[in-house]
Amino acid sequence: MTEPTKDGVILPLTEKGGGPSTASATGGTEGPNLHLDEETGERVSKSELKKRQKQRQLVAKRAEKAAAAPPKAQKAANTEIDEKDLTPNQYFEIRSRAINKLRENHQPNPYPHKFHVNTDLREFLKKYKDLKTGEHLKDVEVRIGARIYTKRESGANLRFYDVRAEGARIQIMCQSQESTSEVPFIEQHEHLRRGDIIGIKGYPGRTSPKNRAEGELSIFAQEVVLLSPCLRQLPSEHYGFKDQEQRHRRRYLDLIINDNTRNTFITRSKIIRYVRSFFDERDFVEVETPMMNQIAGGATAKPFVTFHNEYNQELFMRVAPELYLKELIVGGLERVYEIGRLFRNEGADLTHNPEFTSCEFYQAFADMYDIMEMTEDLVSGMVHHVTGGYNTTYHTQAGETFEINWAKPWKRIEMIPALEEATGKKFPPGDQLHTKETNDFLRGVLKKVKVECSPPQTNARMIDKLVGEFIEEKCVNPTFIVGHPQMMSPLAKYHRSNKGLCERFEAFVCKKEIVNAYTELNDPFDQRLRFEEQALQKAQGDDEAQLIDHTFLDALEHALPPTGGFGMGIDRMVMFLTDNYSIREVLTFPFVKEEGQRTKKQAAEVAGVEPGPAEDVPLGKK
């Protein structure tokens, strides 16, 4: 039951009814020792009257204080929560206009020139990982630049940011009482959004949360500066950024959201650095050779064609640097290597891109067997350097799982005997493998084993097709395939004991080629005949066959010493060591088809920023 009150004051029991004093107060009978309450007209005891007077004074003081205080500002709506409900286009337009205003009034400048950084976040995490809960190092100044991934706030005076830099992540704790900036705390943070690049000045410490025993290692911010705003809405961390086509087309966004992509490219860099150090330690000279050539030589592949206007000449993007590198060996650079881009106008699939990276090296006074040993050393050492061991796991698109042992020595398979075993047919002798009779024989073998070979059905292409079907499919752990026919290898030296074959090997892993190498052909007479055979294959319709390179023949006539050569696809090695079955995942910017006409507006268009005149020439005037 609610107690009776008068003017907000609870009446004493003597006035709640049921007692003798009630009659006295209401009936006008005055009891002994009662005093008049002038505000209510009641007669009450002396102690009750004092209590009422004291309470009224307190109420009056509160009312006076409330009247003197400025009116309370209505709590602002949380703009960022509202922004989450916007479409990406709406968010972009609103943010672009807001940042353009900051560009105009510089409060703050959204694109400052410099922010001094003195800390690598990766080293910070190692150095201060042992800080105890609640421990702060206020005398240590930390300055980092980072991107905001999440932002949380608790009231007007506390902000939390999760930021990333150099692949590392840290919490930033911002308290108004810790701010040392001339800019008010609210103004430091009101313009910041997810995806922005910010500069943080603060000190290391570990939080002391109430709801768990161990706090989180953090930077306690004393100043936060906007360095570059992100105008576009980032994909949410919950749903991520998984569309493969968009990930390859917008690699910058892929890197922002997906740590795996970043780790893949870091591993790629480690592989290339290891290859360089391997050859540098063995006194090789790194060189660069032309990207555009008058003849597409050095490999059996279809080239890209371009045109040089000044010379009025058709040129070919290089398919391999081999001939140039061997010319350098002729000139006396006896150990050379090159890591660079090659361009082949062939099919694009999960393991092939129109442009890719290879490493080729050539060593004078070495042969195929020396190169095989170096290949084992190079690749096994690389795997150990990158992964810490010799065993890796690789998953294919079809769901196969391969456990690979990269340790040396590697298995070796003789090509022709392995094909004879697989097909049940005795192949012609090596010196007959290039003949018309062998062509008829190979067509019959293909028909017998039900293997298709697309035109032109040259001897080299049909044997290569059979190798792919019956030998490469068995190569899971690193395996050397040796004993290639000469007509498959126009730049390799003939085999010293098996006529019609050449000294060449290919290394395969998980059914894919990773290395191609041979004892180099240094006989200009033989090389001329090989080129002519390739020209004949080209005349039969093989676009990948090579032409006669007279400059290279001239170099051979100046004496190329016995030489061993090697070529390895860097991209494919990265695929194996990062467990990616698509070459697109290991290229920073893989080739993608044209997206079509641009429909999205850019920030300057949304904000109405007009282009200025160039070179003091007013726009629209001549």
Side-chain angles (χ1 to χ4, degrees):
M1 181 181 294
T2 305
E3 295 180 329
T5 61
K6 186 171 286 188
D7 294 338
V9 179
I10 299 173
L11 299 179
L13 287 175
T14 55
E15 301 180 42
K16 292 179 183 177
S21 61
T22 305
S24 170
T26 56
T29 308
E30 295 187 10
N33 301 323
L34 295 179
H35 300 272
L36 178 65
D37 183 340
E38 295 180 353
E39 289 198 20
T40 64
E42 300 170 308
R43 303 190 73 82
V44 296
S45 66
K46 185 176 181 180
S47 61
E48 176 62 22
L49 181 60
K50 286 184 176 180
K51 189 185 293 184
R52 291 186 181 189
Q53 289 172 339
K54 190 173 182 179
Q55 189 167 354
R56 288 177 185 133
Q57 288 173 358
L58 184 61
V59 171
K61 282 183 180 179
R62 286 177 180 169
E64 185 180 348
K65 187 175 180 180
K72 278 189 177 180
Q74 188 175 0
K75 191 173 180 180
N78 191 329
T79 316
E80 293 183 63
I81 292 177
D82 295 339
E83 287 173 352
K84 289 181 180 179
D85 297 329
L86 298 175
T87 66
N89 283 341
Q90 290 171 333
Y91 179 92
F92 172 65
E93 291 185 7
I94 291 171
R95 191 88 208 276
S96 296
R97 293 190 183 101
I99 296 303
N100 190 46
K101 286 183 181 178
L102 297 183
R103 290 177 64 245
E104 294 170 351
N105 59 33
H106 278 216
Q107 295 181 354
N109 176 7
Y111 299 101
H113 289 74
K114 168 76 175 173
F115 179 83
H116 177 64
V117 171
N118 66 3
T119 303
D120 184 316
L121 190 52
R122 296 166 296 182
E123 296 302 318
F124 176 93
L125 294 174
K126 293 177 187 175
K127 186 174 182 179
Y128 299 110
K129 62 183 175 60
D130 295 325
L131 286 182
K132 297 177 181 177
T133 296
E135 185 178 359
H136 298 160
L137 302 179
K138 293 193 174 184
D139 57 336
V140 177
E141 182 181 85
V142 174
R143 299 177 68 95
I144 68 166
R147 184 184 294 274
I148 298 173
Y149 277 76
T150 62
K151 177 182 178 182
R152 310 182 304 280
E153 59 183 66
S154 180
N157 299 314
L158 182 61
R159 300 284 188 279
F160 293 95
Y161 299 97
D162 285 327
V163 303
R164 291 186 201 174
E166 300 288 353
R169 192 166 189 159
I170 190 72
Q171 174 178 269
I172 310 298
M173 185 172 181
C174 309
Q175 299 166 290
S176 60
Q177 67 268 27
E178 293 289 342
S179 177
T180 59
S181 172
E182 296 177 357
V183 180
F185 183 80
I186 296 295
E187 293 180 20
Q188 285 185 60
H189 300 275
E190 65 181 344
H191 300 295
L192 303 185
R193 297 291 183 271
R194 185 166 175 260
D196 289 355
I197 305 294
I198 59 174
I200 303 110
K201 184 186 106 174
Y203 58 85
R206 192 175 287 277
T207 60
S208 51
K210 297 177 182 178
N211 57 351
R212 62 179 188 273
E214 186 178 5
E216 185 173 351
L217 179 61
S218 305
I219 296 175
F220 288 77
Q222 296 166 315
E223 182 178 15
V224 177
V225 181
L226 175 62
L227 301 180
S228 185
C230 179
L231 304 181
R232 300 278 181 183
Q233 198 174 43
L234 294 184
S236 71
E237 289 201 305
H238 176 72
Y239 292 105
F241 187 47
K242 300 175 183 176
D243 184 288
Q244 284 194 351
E245 178 72 18
Q246 287 301 315
R247 284 179 49 244
H248 300 150
R249 194 178 295 279
R250 305 167 71 192
R251 186 63 91 186
Y252 49 89
L253 188 54
D254 184 24
L255 283 164
I256 290 172
I257 300 299
N258 297 313
D259 286 339
N260 284 343
T261 302
R262 177 189 177 87
N263 294 335
T264 293
F265 296 143
I266 290 174
T267 299
R268 182 188 180 97
S269 177
K270 287 180 181 177
I271 289 171
I272 293 174
R273 284 204 307 272
Y274 180 85
V275 171
R276 278 202 168 94
S277 67
F278 180 88
F279 290 116
D280 291 344
E281 289 169 4
R282 288 159 177 78
D283 202 26
F284 278 74
V285 177
E286 184 175 10
V287 297
E288 294 175 298
T289 59
M291 291 279 191
M292 294 186 295
N293 304 281
Q294 296 181 9
I295 291 178
T300 303
K302 186 176 180 179
F304 283 96
V305 182
T306 186
F307 191 82
H308 196 301
N309 292 333
E310 180 67 22
Y311 296 146
N312 191 32
Q313 183 178 7
E314 190 174 73
L315 296 174
F316 302 94
M317 302 299 292
R318 75 173 178 190
V319 295
E322 177 171 341
L323 303 185
Y324 285 114
L325 294 175
K326 287 194 280 193
E327 288 177 27
L328 294 175
I329 297 284
V330 171
L333 292 176
E334 295 177 352
R335 293 181 180 87
V336 294
Y337 76 96
E338 180 173 11
I339 299 173
R341 286 295 218 194
L342 307 183
F343 307 87
R344 297 184 180 178
N345 197 359
E346 300 169 345
D349 55 30
L350 288 174
T351 59
H352 296 86
N353 194 67
E355 56 176 314
F356 59 97
T357 303
S358 81
C359 170
E360 293 201 16
F361 81 83
Y362 294 84
Q363 180 175 344
F365 312 111
D367 65 7
M368 167 183 119
Y369 303 102
D370 298 316
I371 303 304
M372 289 176 86
E373 186 176 340
M374 285 185 69
T375 299
E376 290 176 329
D377 291 338
L378 170 63
V379 177
S380 295
M382 175 200 306
V383 173
H384 190 274
H385 173 75
V386 171
T387 68
Y390 293 105
N391 295 290
T392 63
T393 302
Y394 181 72
H395 298 86
T396 69
Q397 186 187 31
E400 298 172 288
T401 300
F402 294 125
E403 300 295 334
I404 311 168
N405 180 6
W406 299 85
K408 61 180 186 178
W410 295 357
K411 183 179 178 181
R412 303 184 184 192
I413 297 176
E414 288 281 347
M415 180 184 290
I416 299 302
L419 288 179
E420 290 177 337
E421 181 181 349
T423 62
K425 301 287 280 185
K426 179 68 177 175
F427 275 56
D431 59 354
Q432 300 298 313
L433 289 175
H434 66 288
T435 64
K436 173 69 169 63
E437 290 74 19
T438 299
N439 186 278
D440 295 335
F441 166 80
L442 291 172
R443 288 173 187 266
V445 171
L446 288 173
K447 186 175 181 180
K448 174 179 181 277
V449 297
K450 299 179 180 178
V451 172
E452 295 289 332
C453 178
S454 59
Q457 291 186 335
T458 61
N459 296 14
R461 285 173 60 85
M462 287 190 283
I463 292 177
D464 189 54
K465 192 69 178 179
L466 290 169
V467 170
E469 189 73 24
F470 296 111
I471 302 180
E472 294 174 10
E473 284 295 309
K474 297 178 181 178
C475 302
V476 175
N477 285 329
T479 304
F480 292 123
I481 299 176
V482 299
H484 295 67
Q486 278 184 249
M487 45 80 179
M488 292 181 70
S489 312
L491 298 171
K493 194 160 189 172
Y494 63 87
H495 200 285
R496 63 194 76 180
S497 58
N498 290 325
K499 196 171 181 182
L501 304 184
C502 62
E503 294 196 353
R504 174 188 178 188
F505 71 81
E506 292 177 286
F508 281 80
V509 176
C510 294
K511 311 177 185 180
K512 302 293 182 183
E513 177 195 336
I514 59 169
V515 171
N516 184 29
Y518 28 83
T519 304
E520 300 297 333
L521 179 60
N522 63 339
D523 178 347
F525 302 95
D526 194 356
Q527 183 65 78
R528 172 76 190 203
L529 295 176
R530 303 279 190 93
F531 276 154
E532 288 179 349
E533 188 171 318
Q534 285 280 300
L536 180 61
Q537 291 181 21
K538 199 168 192 70
Q540 292 175 347
D542 189 349
D543 291 334
E544 298 181 351
Q546 300 179 49
L547 294 172
I548 299 174
D549 190 327
H550 295 283
T551 302
F552 178 66
L553 288 172
D554 183 70
L556 289 187
E557 290 166 359
H558 287 77
L560 172 68
T563 299
F566 157 109
M568 178 178 71
I570 296 291
D571 309 302
R572 197 160 289 177
M573 284 303 307
V574 179
M575 290 168 64
F576 287 131
L577 297 189
T578 59
D579 194 13
N580 281 299
Y581 60 76
S582 172
I583 192 173
R584 289 184 166 198
E585 297 297 337
V586 303
L587 301 175
T588 49
F589 296 98
F591 180 80
V592 289
K593 291 181 180 179
E594 191 175 359
E595 196 170 17
Q597 190 173 2
R598 182 176 70 87
T599 56
K600 289 197 303 186
K601 290 185 177 181
Q602 307 296 157
E605 296 173 283
V606 168
V609 177
E610 295 293 334
E615 298 182 1
D616 299 324
V617 178
L619 291 177
K621 297 181 181 179
K622 295 183 180 179

